[in-house]
PDB file of all heavy atoms in Angstrom:
ATOM      1  N   MET A 129      -3.026  54.517  12.639  1.00 96.00           N
ATOM      2  CA  MET A 129      -3.170  53.136  13.085  1.00 96.00           C
ATOM      3  C   MET A 129      -1.850  52.615  13.664  1.00 96.00           C
ATOM      4  O   MET A 129      -1.827  51.868  14.642  1.00 96.00           O
ATOM      5  CB  MET A 129      -3.632  52.252  11.934  1.00 96.00           C
ATOM      6  CG  MET A 129      -5.032  52.551  11.401  1.00 96.00           C
ATOM      7  SD  MET A 129      -6.362  52.352  12.614  1.00 96.00           S
ATOM      8  CE  MET A 129      -6.639  54.075  13.104  1.00 96.00           C
ATOM      9  N   TYR A 130      -0.749  53.026  13.034  1.00 95.00           N
ATOM     10  CA  TYR A 130       0.571  52.656  13.565  1.00 95.00           C
ATOM     11  C   TYR A 130       0.769  53.273  14.955  1.00 95.00           C
ATOM     12  O   TYR A 130       1.274  52.616  15.873  1.00 95.00           O
ATOM     13  CB  TYR A 130       1.662  53.129  12.613  1.00 95.00           C
ATOM     14  CG  TYR A 130       3.060  52.753  13.035  1.00 95.00           C
ATOM     15  CD1 TYR A 130       3.640  51.560  12.600  1.00 95.00           C
ATOM     16  CD2 TYR A 130       3.803  53.577  13.874  1.00 95.00           C
ATOM     17  CE1 TYR A 130       4.918  51.203  12.991  1.00 95.00           C
ATOM     18  CE2 TYR A 130       5.080  53.232  14.274  1.00 95.00           C
ATOM     19  CZ  TYR A 130       5.642  52.041  13.836  1.00 95.00           C
ATOM     20  OH  TYR A 130       6.903  51.698  14.234  1.00 95.00           O
ATOM     21  N   MET A 131       0.391  54.518  15.102  1.00 95.00           N
ATOM     22  CA  MET A 131       0.506  55.182  16.397  1.00 95.00           C
ATOM     23  C   MET A 131      -0.313  54.463  17.455  1.00 95.00           C
ATOM     24  O   MET A 131       0.141  54.256  18.597  1.00 95.00           O
ATOM     25  CB  MET A 131       0.049  56.636  16.291  1.00 95.00           C
ATOM     26  CG  MET A 131       0.078  57.395  17.607  1.00 95.00           C
ATOM     27  SD  MET A 131      -0.570  59.073  17.448  1.00 95.00           S
ATOM     28  CE  MET A 131       0.707  59.813  16.446  1.00 95.00           C
ATOM     29  N   LEU A 132      -1.529  54.063  17.109  1.00 97.00           N
ATOM     30  CA  LEU A 132      -2.381  53.340  18.049  1.00 97.00           C
ATOM     31  C   LEU A 132      -1.671  52.093  18.568  1.00 97.00           C
ATOM     32  O   LEU A 132      -1.634  51.846  19.778  1.00 97.00           O
ATOM     33  CB  LEU A 132      -3.698  52.951  17.363  1.00 97.00           C
ATOM     34  CG  LEU A 132      -4.602  51.969  18.105  1.00 97.00           C
ATOM     35  CD1 LEU A 132      -5.157  52.616  19.373  1.00 97.00           C
ATOM     36  CD2 LEU A 132      -5.740  51.497  17.208  1.00 97.00           C
ATOM     37  N   ASP A 133      -1.106  51.311  17.672  1.00 96.00           N
ATOM     38  CA  ASP A 133      -0.473  50.052  18.079  1.00 96.00           C
ATOM     39  C   ASP A 133       0.804  50.254  18.874  1.00 96.00           C
ATOM     40  O   ASP A 133       1.176  49.392  19.678  1.00 96.00           O
ATOM     41  CB  ASP A 133      -0.155  49.211  16.841  1.00 96.00           C
ATOM     42  CG  ASP A 133      -1.297  48.278  16.469  1.00 96.00           C
ATOM     43  OD1 ASP A 133      -2.355  48.325  17.132  1.00 96.00           O
ATOM     44  OD2 ASP A 133      -1.140  47.510  15.503  1.00 96.00           O
ATOM     45  N   HIS A 134       1.496  51.365  18.683  1.00 96.00           N
ATOM     46  CA  HIS A 134       2.823  51.529  19.276  1.00 96.00           C
ATOM     47  C   HIS A 134       2.861  52.486  20.462  1.00 96.00           C
ATOM     48  O   HIS A 134       3.941  52.700  21.036  1.00 96.00           O
ATOM     49  CB  HIS A 134       3.824  51.970  18.201  1.00 96.00           C
ATOM     50  CG  HIS A 134       4.114  50.886  17.210  1.00 96.00           C
ATOM     51  ND1 HIS A 134       3.290  50.616  16.150  1.00 96.00           N
ATOM     52  CD2 HIS A 134       5.124  49.973  17.157  1.00 96.00           C
ATOM     53  CE1 HIS A 134       3.786  49.593  15.464  1.00 96.00           C
ATOM     54  NE2 HIS A 134       4.889  49.187  16.050  1.00 96.00           N
ATOM     55  N   ASP A 135       1.745  53.044  20.861  1.00 96.00           N
ATOM     56  CA  ASP A 135       1.672  53.840  22.083  1.00 96.00           C
ATOM     57  C   ASP A 135       1.055  52.949  23.166  1.00 96.00           C
ATOM     58  O   ASP A 135      -0.121  52.598  23.096  1.00 96.00           O
ATOM     59  CB  ASP A 135       0.809  55.084  21.860  1.00 96.00           C
ATOM     60  CG  ASP A 135       0.764  55.997  23.074  1.00 96.00           C
ATOM     61  OD1 ASP A 135       1.032  55.528  24.201  1.00 96.00           O
ATOM     62  OD2 ASP A 135       0.446  57.190  22.903  1.00 96.00           O
ATOM     63  N   ASP A 136       1.838  52.605  24.176  1.00 94.00           N
ATOM     64  CA  ASP A 136       1.369  51.686  25.208  1.00 94.00           C
ATOM     65  C   ASP A 136       0.190  52.236  26.004  1.00 94.00           C
ATOM     66  O   ASP A 136      -0.578  51.464  26.588  1.00 94.00           O
ATOM     67  CB  ASP A 136       2.511  51.341  26.171  1.00 94.00           C
ATOM     68  CG  ASP A 136       3.578  50.470  25.519  1.00 94.00           C
ATOM     69  OD1 ASP A 136       3.263  49.826  24.495  1.00 94.00           O
ATOM     70  OD2 ASP A 136       4.714  50.450  26.032  1.00 94.00           O
ATOM     71  N   ALA A 137       0.041  53.551  26.047  1.00 95.00           N
ATOM     72  CA  ALA A 137      -1.063  54.135  26.808  1.00 95.00           C
ATOM     73  C   ALA A 137      -2.401  54.005  26.086  1.00 95.00           C
ATOM     74  O   ALA A 137      -3.462  54.071  26.711  1.00 95.00           O
ATOM     75  CB  ALA A 137      -0.782  55.612  27.100  1.00 95.00           C
ATOM     76  N   LEU A 138      -2.349  53.839  24.773  1.00 97.00           N
ATOM     77  CA  LEU A 138      -3.580  53.736  23.991  1.00 97.00           C
ATOM     78  C   LEU A 138      -4.059  52.289  23.927  1.00 97.00           C
ATOM     79  O   LEU A 138      -3.266  51.381  23.685  1.00 97.00           O
ATOM     80  CB  LEU A 138      -3.348  54.267  22.576  1.00 97.00           C
ATOM     81  CG  LEU A 138      -3.054  55.761  22.460  1.00 97.00           C
ATOM     82  CD1 LEU A 138      -2.662  56.122  21.037  1.00 97.00           C
ATOM     83  CD2 LEU A 138      -4.261  56.584  22.910  1.00 97.00           C
ATOM     84  N   ARG A 139      -5.357  52.096  24.133  1.00 97.00           N
ATOM     85  CA  ARG A 139      -5.906  50.746  24.154  1.00 97.00           C
ATOM     86  C   ARG A 139      -6.935  50.495  23.050  1.00 97.00           C
ATOM     87  O   ARG A 139      -7.205  49.342  22.708  1.00 97.00           O
ATOM     88  CB  ARG A 139      -6.539  50.457  25.518  1.00 97.00           C
ATOM     89  CG  ARG A 139      -5.536  50.534  26.659  1.00 97.00           C
ATOM     90  CD  ARG A 139      -6.135  50.077  27.962  1.00 97.00           C
ATOM     91  NE  ARG A 139      -5.129  50.077  29.033  1.00 97.00           N
ATOM     92  CZ  ARG A 139      -5.346  49.634  30.263  1.00 97.00           C
ATOM     93  NH1 ARG A 139      -6.559  49.142  30.576  1.00 97.00           N
ATOM     94  NH2 ARG A 139      -4.406  49.676  31.169  1.00 97.00           N
ATOM     95  N   VAL A 140      -7.515  51.543  22.509  1.00 98.00           N
ATOM     96  CA  VAL A 140      -8.568  51.386  21.513  1.00 98.00           C
ATOM     97  C   VAL A 140      -8.713  52.709  20.774  1.00 98.00           C
ATOM     98  O   VAL A 140      -8.381  53.770  21.312  1.00 98.00           O
ATOM     99  CB  VAL A 140      -9.902  50.979  22.196  1.00 98.00           C
ATOM    100  CG1 VAL A 140     -10.331  52.000  23.225  1.00 98.00           C
ATOM    101  CG2 VAL A 140     -11.004  50.750  21.172  1.00 98.00           C
ATOM    102  N   ALA A 141      -9.184  52.650  19.543  1.00 98.00           N
ATOM    103  CA  ALA A 141      -9.453  53.866  18.776  1.00 98.00           C
ATOM    104  C   ALA A 141     -10.923  53.910  18.376  1.00 98.00           C
ATOM    105  O   ALA A 141     -11.564  52.868  18.208  1.00 98.00           O
ATOM    106  CB  ALA A 141      -8.570  53.939  17.532  1.00 98.00           C
TER     107      ALA A 141
END
Side-chain angles (χ1 to χ4, degrees):
M129 294 299 100
Y130 182 91
M131 178 184 292
L132 169 67
D133 270 3
H134 290 82
D135 183 338
D136 290 340
L138 294 172
R139 299 187 176 185
V140 58

